[in-house]
Amino acid sequence: MTTLQMETLNACPLCGTSALRHTLTAPDYESHTGDYGIDECSGCGAAFTNPRPVEADLPKLYAQRSTVDFPALDSGLVARLRDFAIDRYLADPLRCLNSAPTERSVDILDYGCGDGALARGLVRAARKHGRDYRITATDFHDAAPPRLAGIESIRYVPQAHSQNEDFRYHAIFLRHVVEHHPQPDRLIRELKTRLHPGGRLFIEVPNRRSIWARAFGGAYCAYNLPRHLFHFDARSLSGAIERGNLRCERVALAHTPLLGHSLGYLLSRKIQNTGLVGVATYPLQIAVDALARTSSTLRATAVADG
């Protein structure tokens, strides 16, 4: 069992408001490190895990690359479906980036790259559109994820080293990353300094207002306690972006498979979001969210003006 040093917060880490409402308590279904609460801020509307691991211990939660952030793709069909989903996700951001002159290189950072799925998607997109994407991927680990091994067009840099680089990007992707950070506005502020003027952050996070969060309660896998330190809705996500000194251009509803792991947690079974059950129930997940006018995720675009 992973041993973590914990901290208990008496005020919202985003806005400092001390008026908090406890919403639920749930276990760590992945690493079995204990039970954790989620508190909601009455000021900015953000929800956050409380108590939570101290920042210095967060890499311990990902050391083995064995959590839901590193899905097992045992089936070739499932891997192809995941690649298709990544390609769909990248379509809108890359449409914006591809509006630049074709002779210009586009520098892109995949921050918190996980197993490298998004960085590999960028390689496919560069090939498809005939663009020169100079891709950098970064994460906690000293070594690149196995699925990036041998891909010369992707430069992998451990986060500890990347923070010291004097290098700017036209776009930074944070796909299911911001919710893992103890101070999202600080992360966004730091990444702003690594953007060219007019550069963009493309952010995706789970939506705590999803109808499925209400249906599954503490077993909702998008809570992913204690790895997810923040739990956003549209208002709190745009607020975090603005506190990070970027302009929030848009926040849109979107979807990603979440029912597999949620059912697994509820039934104490090993069920993958990207496995047969997760993929088969994905249309139902989208349909019910649509009827409820909610979504499983939120996608935001933030701009570094000037």
Side-chain angles (χ1 to χ4, degrees), residues 1 31 33 48 58 95 116 127 129 134 137 149 162 168 190 194 210-211 232 252:
M1 178 184 292
S31 305
T33 58
F48 55 92
L58 293 178
R95 193 174 295 116
R127 190 180 306 122
H129 297 292
R134 297 192 296 195
S162 70
R168 293 204 171 202
E190 290 171 353
R194 303 172 70 179
S210 170
I211 188 69
F232 292 100

Side-chain angles (χ1 to χ4, degrees), residues 69-92:
D69 306 290
F70 306 90
L73 303 179
D74 300 323
S75 161
L77 173 61
V78 170
R80 288 194 295 274
L81 287 171
R82 187 165 183 244
D83 286 348
F84 175 75
I86 292 290
D87 294 344
R88 288 279 305 272
Y89 165 75
L90 287 171
D92 282 345

Side-chain angles (χ1 to χ4, degrees), residues 124-146:
R124 290 193 299 273
R127 190 180 306 122
K128 176 181 178 181
H129 297 292
R131 299 302 302 252
D132 180 15
Y133 295 161
R134 297 192 296 195
I135 305 162
T136 300
T138 184
D139 215 328
F140 285 122
H141 306 88
D142 290 334

Side-chain angles (χ1 to χ4, degrees), residues 212-223:
W212 296 106
R214 283 174 267 170
F216 283 102
Y220 184 51
C221 79
Y223 288 139

Side-chain angles (χ1 to χ4, degrees), residues 129-165:
H129 297 292
R131 299 302 302 252
D132 180 15
Y133 295 161
R134 297 192 296 195
I135 305 162
T136 300
T138 184
D139 215 328
F140 285 122
H141 306 88
D142 290 334
R147 289 193 176 94
L148 295 187
I151 303 179
E152 295 181 0
S153 54
I154 299 174
R155 183 178 70 109
Y156 180 81
V157 182
Q159 281 182 13
H161 299 163
S162 70
Q163 293 169 358
N164 299 321
E165 288 192 326

Side-chain angles (χ1 to χ4, degrees), residues 17-31:
T17 297
S18 58
L20 309 176
R21 181 178 71 89
H22 182 73
T23 61
L24 63 84
T25 299
D28 173 2
Y29 288 98
E30 293 288 320
S31 305

Side-chain angles (χ1 to χ4, degrees), residues 159-195:
Q159 281 182 13
H161 299 163
S162 70
Q163 293 169 358
N164 299 321
E165 288 192 326
D166 184 19
F167 196 88
R168 293 204 171 202
Y169 299 90
H170 300 99
I172 299 176
F173 285 86
L174 300 107
R175 187 169 187 261
H176 295 278
V177 170
V178 175
E179 66 270 25
H180 293 261
H181 199 276
Q183 200 75 47
D185 55 333
R186 187 186 84 210
L187 172 64
I188 292 168
R189 198 175 301 115
E190 290 171 353
L191 292 178
K192 179 185 178 182
T193 67
R194 303 172 70 179
L195 283 171

